[in-house]
Amino acid sequence: REVLDLLRRIHREGAAVLLGTTRPEVADAIGGRRLVLVEGRLVDPATVDGPEPARADAPRGGVEGA
């Protein structure tokens, strides 16, 4: 909890914070922009259903320029 509070404060002060996690609630606690990797590919977070990765046969919502 203390680490998340510190990261949140650093982010509010204007610093860029890059956080890698498999727990969406941790990313939500920090806020800001979220990038999602599915099977090693950068995808649009809106195409991912919850904390589990998208199915291999699901359409990929790739992010342009990635």
Side-chain angles (χ1 to χ4, degrees):
R1 185 85 209 152
E2 291 178 35
V3 173
L4 286 177
D5 290 341
L6 177 61
L7 290 172
R8 204 175 298 118
R9 189 182 86 214
I10 291 169
H11 186 265
R12 273 195 314 264
E13 291 174 358
V17 174
L18 177 63
L19 173 70
T21 183
T22 58
R23 297 174 47 199
E25 66 274 11
V26 171
D28 290 340
I30 301 299
R33 183 176 177 200
R34 180 186 290 188
L35 302 176
V36 177
L37 291 176
V38 174
E39 296 180 9
R41 294 183 184 261
L42 190 60
V43 298
D44 180 352
T47 65
V48 179
D49 295 327
E52 296 185 22
R55 299 181 331 269
D57 61 340
R60 295 184 188 268
V63 177
E64 288 189 45

Short mmCIF file of all heavy atoms in Angstrom, two decimals:
data_model
loop_
_atom_site.label_atom_id
_atom_site.label_comp_id
_atom_site.label_asym_id
_atom_site.label_seq_id
_atom_site.Cartn_x
_atom_site.Cartn_y
_atom_site.Cartn_z
N ARG A 1 0.83 -1.20 0.00
CA ARG A 1 0.00 0.00 0.00
C ARG A 1 0.87 1.26 0.00
O ARG A 1 0.56 2.23 -0.67
CB ARG A 1 -0.92 -0.06 1.24
CG ARG A 1 -1.90 1.04 1.31
CD ARG A 1 -3.12 0.68 0.51
NE ARG A 1 -3.72 1.88 0.02
CZ ARG A 1 -4.43 1.94 -1.07
NH1 ARG A 1 -4.62 0.87 -1.77
NH2 ARG A 1 -4.95 3.05 -1.48
N GLU A 2 1.93 1.24 0.78
CA GLU A 2 2.81 2.41 0.85
C GLU A 2 3.47 2.69 -0.50
O GLU A 2 3.63 3.85 -0.88
CB GLU A 2 3.88 2.21 1.91
CG GLU A 2 3.35 2.22 3.33
CD GLU A 2 4.43 1.98 4.35
OE1 GLU A 2 5.58 2.42 4.13
OE2 GLU A 2 4.13 1.31 5.36
N VAL A 3 3.83 1.63 -1.21
CA VAL A 3 4.46 1.80 -2.52
C VAL A 3 3.49 2.45 -3.49
O VAL A 3 3.85 3.37 -4.23
CB VAL A 3 4.98 0.45 -3.06
CG1 VAL A 3 5.46 0.59 -4.48
CG2 VAL A 3 6.07 -0.10 -2.17
N LEU A 4 2.24 1.99 -3.50
CA LEU A 4 1.24 2.58 -4.39
C LEU A 4 1.00 4.05 -4.05
O LEU A 4 0.86 4.88 -4.95
CB LEU A 4 -0.09 1.81 -4.32
CG LEU A 4 -0.10 0.45 -5.00
CD1 LEU A 4 -1.44 -0.23 -4.79
CD2 LEU A 4 0.21 0.58 -6.47
N ASP A 5 0.95 4.37 -2.77
CA ASP A 5 0.78 5.77 -2.37
C ASP A 5 1.94 6.63 -2.88
O ASP A 5 1.73 7.74 -3.37
CB ASP A 5 0.67 5.89 -0.85
CG ASP A 5 -0.64 5.32 -0.32
OD1 ASP A 5 -1.60 5.17 -1.11
OD2 ASP A 5 -0.69 5.02 0.89
N LEU A 6 3.15 6.12 -2.75
CA LEU A 6 4.32 6.85 -3.23
C LEU A 6 4.28 7.04 -4.75
O LEU A 6 4.51 8.14 -5.25
CB LEU A 6 5.61 6.13 -2.82
CG LEU A 6 6.91 6.75 -3.31
CD1 LEU A 6 7.08 8.16 -2.76
CD2 LEU A 6 8.08 5.87 -2.90
N LEU A 7 3.96 5.98 -5.49
CA LEU A 7 3.86 6.08 -6.95
C LEU A 7 2.77 7.06 -7.37
O LEU A 7 2.95 7.85 -8.31
CB LEU A 7 3.61 4.70 -7.56
CG LEU A 7 4.77 3.73 -7.51
CD1 LEU A 7 4.34 2.35 -7.97
CD2 LEU A 7 5.95 4.23 -8.33
N ARG A 8 1.64 7.03 -6.66
CA ARG A 8 0.54 7.96 -6.96
C ARG A 8 0.99 9.40 -6.75
O ARG A 8 0.71 10.28 -7.55
CB ARG A 8 -0.65 7.61 -6.06
CG ARG A 8 -1.96 8.07 -6.60
CD ARG A 8 -3.15 7.62 -5.75
NE ARG A 8 -3.26 6.18 -5.67
CZ ARG A 8 -3.17 5.47 -4.54
NH1 ARG A 8 -2.98 6.05 -3.38
NH2 ARG A 8 -3.30 4.16 -4.55
N ARG A 9 1.72 9.66 -5.66
CA ARG A 9 2.20 11.01 -5.37
C ARG A 9 3.20 11.47 -6.44
O ARG A 9 3.11 12.60 -6.94
CB ARG A 9 2.86 11.07 -3.99
CG ARG A 9 3.16 12.50 -3.59
CD ARG A 9 3.85 12.58 -2.26
NE ARG A 9 5.28 12.43 -2.53
CZ ARG A 9 6.15 11.84 -1.73
NH1 ARG A 9 5.76 11.32 -0.59
NH2 ARG A 9 7.41 11.77 -2.04
N ILE A 10 4.10 10.59 -6.82
CA ILE A 10 5.08 10.92 -7.86
C ILE A 10 4.36 11.26 -9.16
O ILE A 10 4.70 12.22 -9.85
CB ILE A 10 6.07 9.75 -8.06
CG1 ILE A 10 6.97 9.62 -6.83
CG2 ILE A 10 6.89 9.93 -9.32
CD1 ILE A 10 7.79 8.34 -6.80
N HIS A 11 3.33 10.49 -9.51
CA HIS A 11 2.56 10.73 -10.73
C HIS A 11 1.84 12.07 -10.66
O HIS A 11 1.85 12.84 -11.63
CB HIS A 11 1.57 9.58 -10.92
CG HIS A 11 0.82 9.65 -12.20
ND1 HIS A 11 -0.42 10.21 -12.29
CD2 HIS A 11 1.13 9.22 -13.45
CE1 HIS A 11 -0.84 10.14 -13.53
NE2 HIS A 11 0.07 9.54 -14.26
N ARG A 12 1.23 12.38 -9.53
CA ARG A 12 0.53 13.66 -9.36
C ARG A 12 1.47 14.85 -9.49
O ARG A 12 1.07 15.92 -9.94
CB ARG A 12 -0.15 13.71 -7.99
CG ARG A 12 -1.52 13.13 -7.94
CD ARG A 12 -2.27 13.54 -6.68
NE ARG A 12 -1.45 13.41 -5.48
CZ ARG A 12 -1.45 12.37 -4.65
NH1 ARG A 12 -2.24 11.35 -4.89
NH2 ARG A 12 -0.70 12.35 -3.58
N GLU A 13 2.74 14.65 -9.09
CA GLU A 13 3.72 15.73 -9.18
C GLU A 13 4.22 15.95 -10.60
O GLU A 13 5.02 16.84 -10.85
CB GLU A 13 4.88 15.45 -8.23
CG GLU A 13 4.48 15.55 -6.77
CD GLU A 13 5.59 15.13 -5.82
OE1 GLU A 13 6.67 14.72 -6.28
OE2 GLU A 13 5.36 15.19 -4.60
N GLY A 14 3.77 15.11 -11.53
CA GLY A 14 4.10 15.33 -12.93
C GLY A 14 5.15 14.40 -13.52
O GLY A 14 5.47 14.50 -14.70
N ALA A 15 5.68 13.50 -12.73
CA ALA A 15 6.68 12.57 -13.24
C ALA A 15 6.00 11.43 -14.00
O ALA A 15 4.88 11.03 -13.66
CB ALA A 15 7.52 11.99 -12.10
N ALA A 16 6.67 10.92 -15.01
CA ALA A 16 6.17 9.75 -15.72
C ALA A 16 6.43 8.52 -14.86
O ALA A 16 7.51 8.36 -14.30
CB ALA A 16 6.88 9.61 -17.06
N VAL A 17 5.42 7.67 -14.75
CA VAL A 17 5.56 6.44 -13.97
C VAL A 17 5.24 5.28 -14.91
O VAL A 17 4.17 5.24 -15.51
CB VAL A 17 4.58 6.42 -12.76
CG1 VAL A 17 4.63 5.07 -12.05
CG2 VAL A 17 4.92 7.55 -11.80
N LEU A 18 6.18 4.38 -15.03
CA LEU A 18 5.98 3.18 -15.85
C LEU A 18 5.89 2.00 -14.88
O LEU A 18 6.83 1.73 -14.14
CB LEU A 18 7.14 2.99 -16.82
CG LEU A 18 7.10 1.75 -17.68
CD1 LEU A 18 5.88 1.77 -18.59
CD2 LEU A 18 8.38 1.66 -18.50
N LEU A 19 4.76 1.33 -14.89
CA LEU A 19 4.50 0.25 -13.95
C LEU A 19 4.07 -0.98 -14.72
O LEU A 19 3.13 -0.93 -15.50
CB LEU A 19 3.38 0.68 -12.98
CG LEU A 19 2.86 -0.36 -12.02
CD1 LEU A 19 3.92 -0.67 -10.97
CD2 LEU A 19 1.59 0.13 -11.36
N GLY A 20 4.74 -2.08 -14.51
CA GLY A 20 4.35 -3.35 -15.12
C GLY A 20 3.66 -4.20 -14.07
O GLY A 20 4.20 -4.43 -13.00
N THR A 21 2.45 -4.65 -14.38
CA THR A 21 1.70 -5.47 -13.43
C THR A 21 0.73 -6.38 -14.16
O THR A 21 0.31 -6.07 -15.28
CB THR A 21 0.93 -4.60 -12.41
OG1 THR A 21 0.27 -5.46 -11.48
CG2 THR A 21 -0.07 -3.69 -13.07
N THR A 22 0.37 -7.47 -13.53
CA THR A 22 -0.67 -8.35 -14.06
C THR A 22 -1.98 -8.11 -13.33
O THR A 22 -2.96 -8.78 -13.60
CB THR A 22 -0.28 -9.84 -13.89
OG1 THR A 22 -0.06 -10.10 -12.50
CG2 THR A 22 0.98 -10.15 -14.68
N ARG A 23 -1.99 -7.13 -12.43
CA ARG A 23 -3.17 -6.86 -11.61
C ARG A 23 -3.81 -5.52 -12.02
O ARG A 23 -3.29 -4.46 -11.71
CB ARG A 23 -2.79 -6.83 -10.15
CG ARG A 23 -2.27 -8.19 -9.68
CD ARG A 23 -1.76 -8.17 -8.28
NE ARG A 23 -2.67 -7.50 -7.37
CZ ARG A 23 -2.31 -7.04 -6.18
NH1 ARG A 23 -1.06 -7.16 -5.77
NH2 ARG A 23 -3.18 -6.46 -5.41
N PRO A 24 -4.94 -5.57 -12.72
CA PRO A 24 -5.61 -4.35 -13.18
C PRO A 24 -5.93 -3.38 -12.04
O PRO A 24 -5.88 -2.17 -12.22
CB PRO A 24 -6.90 -4.84 -13.84
CG PRO A 24 -6.65 -6.26 -14.16
CD PRO A 24 -5.67 -6.78 -13.15
N GLU A 25 -6.24 -3.90 -10.85
CA GLU A 25 -6.58 -3.01 -9.74
C GLU A 25 -5.38 -2.17 -9.31
O GLU A 25 -5.53 -1.05 -8.83
CB GLU A 25 -7.15 -3.80 -8.54
CG GLU A 25 -6.18 -4.74 -7.87
CD GLU A 25 -6.09 -6.13 -8.50
OE1 GLU A 25 -6.61 -6.35 -9.60
OE2 GLU A 25 -5.48 -7.00 -7.86
N VAL A 26 -4.18 -2.68 -9.51
CA VAL A 26 -2.98 -1.91 -9.20
C VAL A 26 -2.83 -0.76 -10.21
O VAL A 26 -2.59 0.38 -9.84
CB VAL A 26 -1.71 -2.80 -9.19
CG1 VAL A 26 -0.45 -1.97 -9.08
CG2 VAL A 26 -1.79 -3.82 -8.07
N ALA A 27 -3.02 -1.07 -11.48
CA ALA A 27 -2.96 -0.03 -12.52
C ALA A 27 -4.05 1.02 -12.29
O ALA A 27 -3.81 2.21 -12.45
CB ALA A 27 -3.10 -0.66 -13.90
N ASP A 28 -5.23 0.58 -11.88
CA ASP A 28 -6.33 1.51 -11.60
C ASP A 28 -5.98 2.44 -10.44
O ASP A 28 -6.35 3.61 -10.44
CB ASP A 28 -7.62 0.76 -11.27
CG ASP A 28 -8.22 0.05 -12.48
OD1 ASP A 28 -7.87 0.43 -13.62
OD2 ASP A 28 -9.02 -0.87 -12.27
N ALA A 29 -5.28 1.91 -9.45
CA ALA A 29 -4.92 2.71 -8.27
C ALA A 29 -3.98 3.86 -8.64
O ALA A 29 -4.04 4.93 -8.04
CB ALA A 29 -4.27 1.83 -7.21
N ILE A 30 -3.13 3.66 -9.64
CA ILE A 30 -2.19 4.69 -10.06
C ILE A 30 -2.87 5.68 -11.00
O ILE A 30 -2.65 6.88 -10.92
CB ILE A 30 -0.96 4.07 -10.76
CG1 ILE A 30 -0.24 3.11 -9.82
CG2 ILE A 30 -0.01 5.15 -11.27
CD1 ILE A 30 0.28 3.74 -8.55
N GLY A 31 -3.70 5.19 -11.89
CA GLY A 31 -4.38 6.05 -12.85
C GLY A 31 -3.49 6.38 -14.03
O GLY A 31 -2.40 5.82 -14.19
N GLY A 32 -3.94 7.28 -14.86
CA GLY A 32 -3.18 7.66 -16.05
C GLY A 32 -3.43 6.72 -17.21
O GLY A 32 -4.36 5.91 -17.20
N ARG A 33 -2.59 6.85 -18.21
CA ARG A 33 -2.72 6.06 -19.43
C ARG A 33 -2.35 4.60 -19.16
O ARG A 33 -1.42 4.31 -18.44
CB ARG A 33 -1.78 6.63 -20.49
CG ARG A 33 -1.88 5.94 -21.81
CD ARG A 33 -1.00 6.65 -22.81
NE ARG A 33 -1.02 5.94 -24.08
CZ ARG A 33 -0.11 6.06 -25.00
NH1 ARG A 33 0.92 6.87 -24.80
NH2 ARG A 33 -0.20 5.40 -26.11
N ARG A 34 -3.10 3.70 -19.77
CA ARG A 34 -2.84 2.27 -19.61
C ARG A 34 -2.57 1.63 -20.97
O ARG A 34 -3.34 1.82 -21.91
CB ARG A 34 -4.03 1.57 -18.98
CG ARG A 34 -3.77 0.08 -18.79
CD ARG A 34 -4.98 -0.65 -18.30
NE ARG A 34 -5.26 -0.29 -16.93
CZ ARG A 34 -6.17 -0.89 -16.20
NH1 ARG A 34 -6.88 -1.86 -16.69
NH2 ARG A 34 -6.37 -0.52 -14.96
N LEU A 35 -1.48 0.90 -21.05
CA LEU A 35 -1.16 0.12 -22.24
C LEU A 35 -1.25 -1.34 -21.84
O LEU A 35 -0.89 -1.72 -20.73
CB LEU A 35 0.26 0.43 -22.73
CG LEU A 35 0.53 1.90 -23.07
CD1 LEU A 35 1.99 2.09 -23.45
CD2 LEU A 35 -0.37 2.36 -24.20
N VAL A 36 -1.76 -2.18 -22.75
CA VAL A 36 -1.97 -3.58 -22.44
C VAL A 36 -1.23 -4.45 -23.45
O VAL A 36 -1.30 -4.20 -24.65
CB VAL A 36 -3.48 -3.92 -22.46
CG1 VAL A 36 -3.72 -5.40 -22.21
CG2 VAL A 36 -4.22 -3.08 -21.43
N LEU A 37 -0.53 -5.47 -22.94
CA LEU A 37 0.11 -6.46 -23.79
C LEU A 37 -0.68 -7.75 -23.73
O LEU A 37 -1.03 -8.21 -22.65
CB LEU A 37 1.54 -6.74 -23.31
CG LEU A 37 2.55 -5.63 -23.49
CD1 LEU A 37 3.88 -6.05 -22.87
CD2 LEU A 37 2.74 -5.27 -24.94
N VAL A 38 -0.97 -8.33 -24.87
CA VAL A 38 -1.60 -9.64 -24.97
C VAL A 38 -0.75 -10.46 -25.91
O VAL A 38 -0.53 -10.07 -27.06
CB VAL A 38 -3.06 -9.55 -25.49
CG1 VAL A 38 -3.64 -10.93 -25.71
CG2 VAL A 38 -3.92 -8.75 -24.54
N GLU A 39 -0.22 -11.56 -25.39
CA GLU A 39 0.64 -12.44 -26.18
C GLU A 39 1.77 -11.64 -26.83
O GLU A 39 2.10 -11.84 -27.99
CB GLU A 39 -0.18 -13.20 -27.21
CG GLU A 39 -1.18 -14.15 -26.58
CD GLU A 39 -2.01 -14.91 -27.59
OE1 GLU A 39 -1.70 -14.84 -28.80
OE2 GLU A 39 -2.96 -15.56 -27.18
N GLY A 40 2.34 -10.71 -26.08
CA GLY A 40 3.48 -9.94 -26.56
C GLY A 40 3.15 -8.80 -27.51
O GLY A 40 4.05 -8.16 -28.04
N ARG A 41 1.87 -8.53 -27.72
CA ARG A 41 1.47 -7.46 -28.63
C ARG A 41 0.73 -6.37 -27.87
O ARG A 41 -0.09 -6.66 -27.01
CB ARG A 41 0.56 -7.98 -29.74
CG ARG A 41 1.27 -8.94 -30.67
CD ARG A 41 0.31 -9.35 -31.77
NE ARG A 41 0.91 -10.32 -32.63
CZ ARG A 41 1.47 -10.02 -33.80
NH1 ARG A 41 1.47 -8.79 -34.25
NH2 ARG A 41 2.02 -10.97 -34.53
N LEU A 42 1.01 -5.13 -28.24
CA LEU A 42 0.32 -3.99 -27.65
C LEU A 42 -1.08 -3.93 -28.23
O LEU A 42 -1.26 -3.94 -29.45
CB LEU A 42 1.10 -2.72 -27.98
CG LEU A 42 0.71 -1.44 -27.29
CD1 LEU A 42 0.86 -1.59 -25.78
CD2 LEU A 42 1.57 -0.31 -27.78
N VAL A 43 -2.10 -3.92 -27.36
CA VAL A 43 -3.49 -3.89 -27.82
C VAL A 43 -4.24 -2.75 -27.16
O VAL A 43 -3.82 -2.21 -26.14
CB VAL A 43 -4.22 -5.23 -27.51
CG1 VAL A 43 -3.56 -6.39 -28.24
CG2 VAL A 43 -4.29 -5.50 -26.03
N ASP A 44 -5.37 -2.41 -27.74
CA ASP A 44 -6.26 -1.41 -27.19
C ASP A 44 -6.90 -1.97 -25.92
O ASP A 44 -7.52 -3.03 -25.97
CB ASP A 44 -7.33 -1.08 -28.23
CG ASP A 44 -8.32 -0.03 -27.77
OD1 ASP A 44 -8.31 0.35 -26.58
OD2 ASP A 44 -9.12 0.40 -28.61
N PRO A 45 -6.76 -1.30 -24.77
CA PRO A 45 -7.33 -1.83 -23.52
C PRO A 45 -8.83 -2.09 -23.60
O PRO A 45 -9.34 -2.95 -22.91
CB PRO A 45 -7.02 -0.74 -22.49
CG PRO A 45 -5.90 0.03 -23.06
CD PRO A 45 -6.04 -0.05 -24.55
N ALA A 46 -9.55 -1.37 -24.46
CA ALA A 46 -11.00 -1.56 -24.58
C ALA A 46 -11.35 -2.92 -25.17
O ALA A 46 -12.48 -3.38 -25.02
CB ALA A 46 -11.60 -0.45 -25.45
N THR A 47 -10.40 -3.59 -25.83
CA THR A 47 -10.68 -4.88 -26.44
C THR A 47 -10.40 -6.04 -25.51
O THR A 47 -10.69 -7.18 -25.83
CB THR A 47 -9.86 -5.08 -27.73
OG1 THR A 47 -8.47 -5.13 -27.39
CG2 THR A 47 -10.12 -3.99 -28.73
N VAL A 48 -9.84 -5.76 -24.33
CA VAL A 48 -9.49 -6.82 -23.38
C VAL A 48 -10.59 -6.92 -22.35
O VAL A 48 -10.95 -5.94 -21.71
CB VAL A 48 -8.13 -6.53 -22.70
CG1 VAL A 48 -7.80 -7.63 -21.71
CG2 VAL A 48 -7.04 -6.38 -23.74
N ASP A 49 -11.14 -8.11 -22.18
CA ASP A 49 -12.22 -8.34 -21.21
C ASP A 49 -11.63 -8.68 -19.85
O ASP A 49 -11.15 -9.79 -19.64
CB ASP A 49 -13.12 -9.49 -21.65
CG ASP A 49 -13.87 -9.16 -22.93
OD1 ASP A 49 -14.20 -7.98 -23.11
OD2 ASP A 49 -14.11 -10.07 -23.73
N GLY A 50 -11.65 -7.72 -18.93
CA GLY A 50 -11.21 -7.97 -17.56
C GLY A 50 -9.73 -8.32 -17.46
O GLY A 50 -8.95 -8.02 -18.34
N PRO A 51 -9.37 -8.99 -16.37
CA PRO A 51 -7.96 -9.25 -16.11
C PRO A 51 -7.37 -10.39 -16.93
O PRO A 51 -6.17 -10.56 -16.97
CB PRO A 51 -7.94 -9.60 -14.62
CG PRO A 51 -9.30 -10.13 -14.34
CD PRO A 51 -10.22 -9.38 -15.27
N GLU A 52 -8.20 -11.20 -17.59
CA GLU A 52 -7.67 -12.31 -18.36
C GLU A 52 -7.32 -11.87 -19.76
O GLU A 52 -8.00 -11.04 -20.34
CB GLU A 52 -8.69 -13.44 -18.41
CG GLU A 52 -8.98 -14.02 -17.03
CD GLU A 52 -9.90 -15.21 -17.11
OE1 GLU A 52 -9.99 -15.83 -18.18
OE2 GLU A 52 -10.54 -15.49 -16.10
N PRO A 53 -6.25 -12.46 -20.35
CA PRO A 53 -5.87 -12.08 -21.71
C PRO A 53 -6.96 -12.46 -22.71
O PRO A 53 -7.73 -13.40 -22.48
CB PRO A 53 -4.59 -12.87 -21.98
CG PRO A 53 -4.35 -13.72 -20.81
CD PRO A 53 -5.38 -13.43 -19.77
N ALA A 54 -7.00 -11.75 -23.81
CA ALA A 54 -7.96 -12.05 -24.87
C ALA A 54 -7.63 -13.41 -25.46
O ALA A 54 -6.50 -13.86 -25.45
CB ALA A 54 -7.90 -10.97 -25.95
N ARG A 55 -8.66 -14.08 -25.99
CA ARG A 55 -8.45 -15.38 -26.63
C ARG A 55 -7.56 -15.22 -27.85
O ARG A 55 -7.57 -14.18 -28.51
CB ARG A 55 -9.79 -15.96 -27.08
CG ARG A 55 -10.76 -16.21 -25.97
CD ARG A 55 -12.07 -16.81 -26.50
NE ARG A 55 -12.43 -16.44 -27.85
CZ ARG A 55 -13.19 -15.40 -28.17
NH1 ARG A 55 -13.66 -14.61 -27.25
NH2 ARG A 55 -13.49 -15.15 -29.43
N ALA A 56 -6.83 -16.26 -28.18
CA ALA A 56 -5.92 -16.22 -29.33
C ALA A 56 -6.69 -15.98 -30.64
O ALA A 56 -6.17 -15.37 -31.55
CB ALA A 56 -5.13 -17.52 -29.42
N ASP A 57 -7.97 -16.46 -30.70
CA ASP A 57 -8.74 -16.29 -31.93
C ASP A 57 -9.57 -15.01 -31.95
O ASP A 57 -10.25 -14.73 -32.91
CB ASP A 57 -9.65 -17.51 -32.15
CG ASP A 57 -10.66 -17.68 -31.02
OD1 ASP A 57 -10.44 -17.14 -29.91
OD2 ASP A 57 -11.67 -18.37 -31.24
N ALA A 58 -9.47 -14.20 -30.87
CA ALA A 58 -10.21 -12.95 -30.81
C ALA A 58 -9.54 -11.92 -31.71
O ALA A 58 -8.33 -11.94 -31.89
CB ALA A 58 -10.27 -12.43 -29.38
N PRO A 59 -10.32 -11.02 -32.31
CA PRO A 59 -9.70 -9.97 -33.12
C PRO A 59 -8.79 -9.11 -32.27
O PRO A 59 -9.08 -8.81 -31.11
CB PRO A 59 -10.89 -9.14 -33.63
CG PRO A 59 -12.09 -9.62 -32.90
CD PRO A 59 -11.74 -10.90 -32.20
N ARG A 60 -7.67 -8.76 -32.80
CA ARG A 60 -6.70 -7.94 -32.07
C ARG A 60 -7.00 -6.47 -32.34
O ARG A 60 -7.13 -6.05 -33.46
CB ARG A 60 -5.28 -8.27 -32.51
CG ARG A 60 -4.88 -9.67 -32.16
CD ARG A 60 -3.43 -9.88 -32.54
NE ARG A 60 -3.08 -11.26 -32.39
CZ ARG A 60 -2.55 -11.77 -31.29
NH1 ARG A 60 -2.31 -11.01 -30.27
NH2 ARG A 60 -2.25 -13.04 -31.22
N GLY A 61 -7.05 -5.69 -31.27
CA GLY A 61 -7.28 -4.26 -31.38
C GLY A 61 -5.97 -3.52 -31.30
O GLY A 61 -5.72 -2.81 -30.36
N GLY A 62 -5.11 -3.74 -32.25
CA GLY A 62 -3.77 -3.15 -32.23
C GLY A 62 -3.79 -1.64 -32.15
O GLY A 62 -4.72 -1.00 -32.62
N VAL A 63 -2.79 -1.09 -31.55
CA VAL A 63 -2.63 0.34 -31.44
C VAL A 63 -1.76 0.82 -32.58
O VAL A 63 -0.66 0.30 -32.77
CB VAL A 63 -2.00 0.72 -30.08
CG1 VAL A 63 -1.77 2.21 -29.99
CG2 VAL A 63 -2.87 0.24 -28.94
N GLU A 64 -2.26 1.75 -33.39
CA GLU A 64 -1.49 2.22 -34.53
C GLU A 64 -0.18 2.83 -34.10
O GLU A 64 -0.10 3.50 -33.07
CB GLU A 64 -2.31 3.24 -35.32
CG GLU A 64 -3.45 2.60 -36.07
CD GLU A 64 -4.10 3.58 -37.01
OE1 GLU A 64 -3.35 4.31 -37.70
OE2 GLU A 64 -5.33 3.63 -37.03
N GLY A 65 0.85 2.57 -34.88
CA GLY A 65 2.17 3.16 -34.62
C GLY A 65 2.94 2.39 -33.57
O GLY A 65 4.03 2.78 -33.20
N ALA A 66 2.40 1.29 -33.09
CA ALA A 66 3.11 0.50 -32.06
C ALA A 66 4.02 -0.52 -32.71
O ALA A 66 3.85 -0.97 -33.77
CB ALA A 66 2.12 -0.20 -31.14
#
